[in-house]
Amino acid sequence: MHYWFVAMRGGERVVERLLHLFPNADLFTNVYDRSKMSARLASAPIEAGFVNRLPFARSLYKYYLPLMPMALEGLDLSEYDLVISSESGPAKGVITRPGSEHICYCHSPMRYIWDHYHQYHAEASTPARLAMPFMYHRLRQWDVSSSARVDQFIANSNFIRQRIEKVWRRDAHVIHPPVETNLFSQADEVAPNYLWVGQMVPYKRPDLAVEAFNENGLPLTMVGTGGMLKKLKAMARPNITFIERLDFAALREVYATCRAFIMTAEEDFGITPVECMASGRPVVAFGRGGALDSVVEGKTGIFFDRQDVPSLVQAIDDMEYFLDHFEPQAAIEHASNFAPEHFDRRFSSIVETT
């Protein structure tokens, strides 16, 4: 059970790997668009709740969020002895039979109703801002009560394990998401530019990267698109280059040739810095959240303590010194700890003990 299939991001890649472990599994979701799914996911049997049949559900699915608990509870999973939910939007609230085992792999409790609520509320349209306090109050109640339907939680990082304990008062195993580290390799030469990759949305803090490189004047390449892109382009100085989309071959190249990777968000885990380390390049990361699981300070990267310009500028200065001592092979070896076979082994061991 995955919250929705409308793009291929980290959560969908985890489901794809779960299908590798359980090739005959059926997929369930709230909303899906096969044209936006990988060939492996699109070829699996898939069933959706009634939200999928509502007008413009594939593009406006988030507006139907208050209806998703009811839709989840309408899915009939009574024939299954093992149910795996992939949680970031509502997914874990399915009803299973008494003899079954429900394992929830949690990318994060729903950020927009919990710790990111006030940020989302401030950025919402006026109608949404008026409706959110009433709808999300009920959604929080359902979210907490439905956590009791899960037999075992698995968090994708220690940061998310802490969120699970805070929000749902449940313990969780930690299994990092699978990263195809073998698809990345070291380049013979490195370019002078730093690299930022991600969605250009507020919680990713791309503005922080732009402001910092506006100040220090070093070359920065920013890859991604989103609602903040126009504003960021307007505020950026000529040393900052924007690329909206790259195919996988081009992405591999910019990883391998960047001076270092910049991660400004408080990520749940963060797959992109692992991909960059697998390419033999170091990371400058905000020292909170999932980065604490993936980056080793002084070996594969540098942390900055505050999400502000002086802190990031100082970390970039530190990186300039660190690069004289950086060993690419150390980053590659560390990144290999997140390869899919590690995910497979640890997830299978939990299933085998249920």
Side-chain angles (χ1 to χ4, degrees), residues 109-340:
M110 288 185 280
R111 305 175 199 88
Y112 32 85
I113 68 170
W114 293 109
D115 49 326
H116 288 194
Y117 169 74
H118 295 289
Q119 179 181 336
Y120 278 91
H121 184 264
E123 295 159 2
S125 64
T126 299
R129 202 159 49 243
L130 293 172
M132 283 171 69
F134 301 98
M135 294 189 299
Y136 283 21
H137 173 67
R138 292 293 185 186
L139 195 54
R140 288 186 198 100
Q141 292 176 325
W142 175 85
D143 190 52
V144 172
S145 66
S146 64
S147 68
R149 303 173 190 177
V150 175
D151 296 299
Q152 294 194 67
F153 277 102
I154 300 173
N156 71 351
S157 68
N158 282 291
F159 177 54
I160 296 306
R161 179 188 59 78
Q162 292 166 3
R163 268 187 181 163
I164 290 170
E165 198 282 328
K166 178 71 172 179
V167 173
W168 297 327
R169 303 300 178 186
R170 296 288 302 275
D171 294 327
H173 304 276
V174 175
I175 301 179
H176 299 119
V179 184
E180 297 278 0
T181 54
N182 64 313
L183 300 180
F184 301 90
S185 57
Q186 185 180 357
D188 294 330
E189 296 184 5
V190 175
N193 61 293
Y194 284 78
L195 177 67
W196 187 100
V197 177
Q199 288 179 284
M200 296 191 183
V201 294
Y203 90 91
K204 294 282 189 180
R205 294 305 308 273
D207 56 311
L208 180 57
V210 170
E211 291 174 10
F213 281 83
N214 275 349
E215 180 170 318
N216 65 23
L218 294 173
L220 171 68
T221 300
M222 299 194 70
V223 179
T225 188
M228 296 182 70
L229 179 59
K230 184 177 179 181
K231 174 185 175 182
L232 294 171
K233 284 184 173 181
M235 63 188 282
R237 292 181 176 175
N239 56 304
I240 301 175
T241 302
F242 292 87
I243 303 174
E244 293 190 29
R245 291 177 179 83
L246 291 175
D247 62 25
F248 185 66
L251 181 64
R252 291 176 68 241
E253 182 178 358
V254 296
Y255 277 146
T257 58
C258 73
R259 190 161 177 80
F261 186 85
I262 304 294
M263 178 173 153
T264 47
E266 182 181 80
E267 293 284 8
D268 303 331
F269 172 70
I271 289 176
T272 49
V274 176
E275 293 175 339
C276 202
M277 288 185 292
S279 307
R281 302 312 304 152
V283 178
V284 176
F286 179 45
R288 288 178 57 182
L292 296 176
D293 281 20
S294 60
V295 179
V296 181
E297 187 166 29
K299 181 179 180 181
T300 71
I302 298 291
F303 289 134
F304 60 100
D305 297 330
R306 300 180 307 279
Q307 282 180 311
D308 59 29
V309 172
S311 185
L312 177 53
V313 168
Q314 181 60 56
I316 295 165
D317 287 344
D318 294 342
M319 175 57 70
E320 289 293 307
Y321 172 78
F322 172 71
L323 283 166
D324 292 335
H325 313 278
F326 172 65
E327 297 180 6
Q329 192 58 40
I332 293 170
E333 290 175 0
H334 176 65
S336 69
N337 293 320
F338 304 97

